[in-house]
Amino acid sequence: MRLQGKVAIVTGGLQGIGKATVELFLQEGASVVVADLPKTGGEWNLAADSEPSKYVYIQTDVTQEESVKRLVAQTVDRFGRLDILFANAGIGESAMIHTMTYADWQRVIDVNLNSVFLSNKYGIEAMLAGGGGSIINNASFLGFVGQQGVIANAAAKGGVINLTRTLGVNYAKQGIRVNSICAGYTLTPVITAKPQEVIDEFVSKHPIGRLAEPIEIAQAVLFLASDDSSFVVGSNLMVDGGYTAQ
Ligand SMILES: NC(=O)c1ccc[n+]([C@@H]2O[C@H](COP(=O)([O-])OP(=O)(O)OC[C@H]3O[C@@H](n4cnc5c(N)ncnc54)[C@H](O)[C@@H]3O)[C@@H](O)[C@H]2O)c1
């Protein structure tokens, strides 16, 4: 078990890449705080072998400073420390700048970039008190390349990538490693809901000839969370089926 005794927060952990990561972290022995907005329309269930005493859901809006501060404080109250933060919550968009409103721009920047500032700020504060930790920010291939119809998300993910580098540099000596993953298109609800021709177009951009399963991204997050990546600092790990390599 690679995360035995560790305490982790996963933001946006109720579905998609976040949920796959929550389940994997639990399998690897961590205690996990699942931080997300309340799910409209229903229940959420983790894999049947997830041990209930090892995880808790804390309702969180990652764009609200008080909410993020409370999330970290409640995590430390409940489990005694914070070792791992996966700043994963995010939203997609489909926009062109000449028709996009400033409010829509601000919303995407809030959820996909400003939230990373907040969770990393309070996460690092707790990790400094606990003697170290590992932060993984969920960036994207979209932080490296331009794409039709993606505006604020591309800017936000580019920001996450360089924020990750600079926080990695700033806190390495204090035992806090900050890295990101940059996934290619992944078969989460936000992608599977798209029309088949859009999915086919996405597939055509990946040299591997398919999209990722959420677990394939979670495995990369686990690597960065665990001591297997003990010399990895400020890196942005491409997990994109070759999308940005071509
Ligand atoms: N799916 C992809 O193709 C893909 C590719 C590259 C990067 N990513 C990134 O991976 C991350 C997760 O994506 P996903 O596809 O699993 O998305 P998803 O929509 O399946 O899940 C995102 C989760 O984040 C939560 N969330 C949204 N706003 C929030 C807020 N303000 N506060 C708290 N939680 C909030 C949602 O409720 C949801 O549970 C995002 O940052 C996304 O940009 C996704």
Side-chain angles (χ1 to χ4, degrees):
M1 291 216 190
R2 283 182 280 176
L3 302 182
Q4 190 67 46
K6 303 282 189 191
V7 177
I9 291 174
V10 177
T11 72
L14 287 186
Q15 70 176 48
I17 294 168
K19 184 179 179 210
T21 305
V22 168
E23 292 175 342
L24 188 59
F25 279 8
L26 287 167
Q27 281 169 29
E28 293 291 335
S31 299
V32 184
V33 175
V34 183
D36 207 316
L37 298 170
K39 273 279 157 264
T40 45
E43 293 293 307
W44 60 282
N45 297 301
L46 294 176
D49 58 352
S50 304
E51 166 56 49
S53 68
K54 300 282 287 230
Y55 65 88
V56 62
Y57 165 69
I58 297 182
Q59 184 176 321
T60 308
D61 182 341
V62 293
T63 67
Q64 300 301 310
E65 182 165 12
E66 279 311 310
S67 185
V68 176
K69 197 173 169 181
R70 189 171 57 243
L71 164 70
V72 173
Q74 289 182 352
T75 299
V76 174
D77 278 353
R78 165 94 187 226
F79 293 112
R81 52 186 298 107
L82 175 64
D83 302 296
I84 298 160
L85 164 68
F86 181 31
N88 162 73
I91 53 174
E93 68 171 338
S94 180
M96 294 296 277
I97 198 166
H98 67 285
T99 52
M100 186 177 203
T101 66
Y102 187 47
D104 287 344
W105 161 272
Q106 286 178 310
R107 178 72 191 147
V108 177
I109 296 292
D110 262 351
V111 181
N112 289 8
L113 177 59
N114 293 338
S115 70
V116 178
F117 165 81
L118 289 174
S119 63
N120 281 227
K121 171 183 163 59
Y122 289 105
I124 284 174
E125 202 177 278
M127 288 175 184
L128 285 172
S134 176
I135 294 181
I136 307 95
N137 294 320
N138 201 341
S140 171
F141 70 95
L142 286 169
F144 285 92
V145 296
Q147 180 157 311
Q148 188 74 19
V150 183
I151 307 298
N153 196 20
K157 296 301 188 182
V160 170
I161 284 164
N162 223 28
L163 178 62
T164 296
R165 288 193 185 106
T166 200
L167 295 182
V169 168
N170 275 292
Y171 292 97
K173 285 217 171 87
Q174 283 107 311
I176 302 171
R177 295 183 301 106
V178 185
N179 295 287
S180 89
I181 51 151
C182 301
Y185 279 113
T186 305
L187 292 164
T188 63
V190 75
I191 300 298
T192 53
K194 292 188 184 294
Q196 190 57 46
E197 60 267 26
V198 173
I199 293 178
D200 291 345
E201 164 72 10
F202 290 167
V203 168
S204 73
K205 293 177 189 277
H206 294 70
I208 200 168
R210 63 178 178 84
L211 305 188
E213 295 294 336
I215 186 64
E216 294 178 286
I217 311 304
Q219 295 282 7
V221 179
L222 171 62
F223 166 69
L224 292 173
S226 75
D227 291 342
D228 290 351
S229 60
S230 52
F231 203 62
V232 184
V233 168
S235 77
N236 294 285
L237 178 59
M238 309 313 299
V239 194
D240 68 354
Y243 190 120
T244 54
Q246 61 191 327

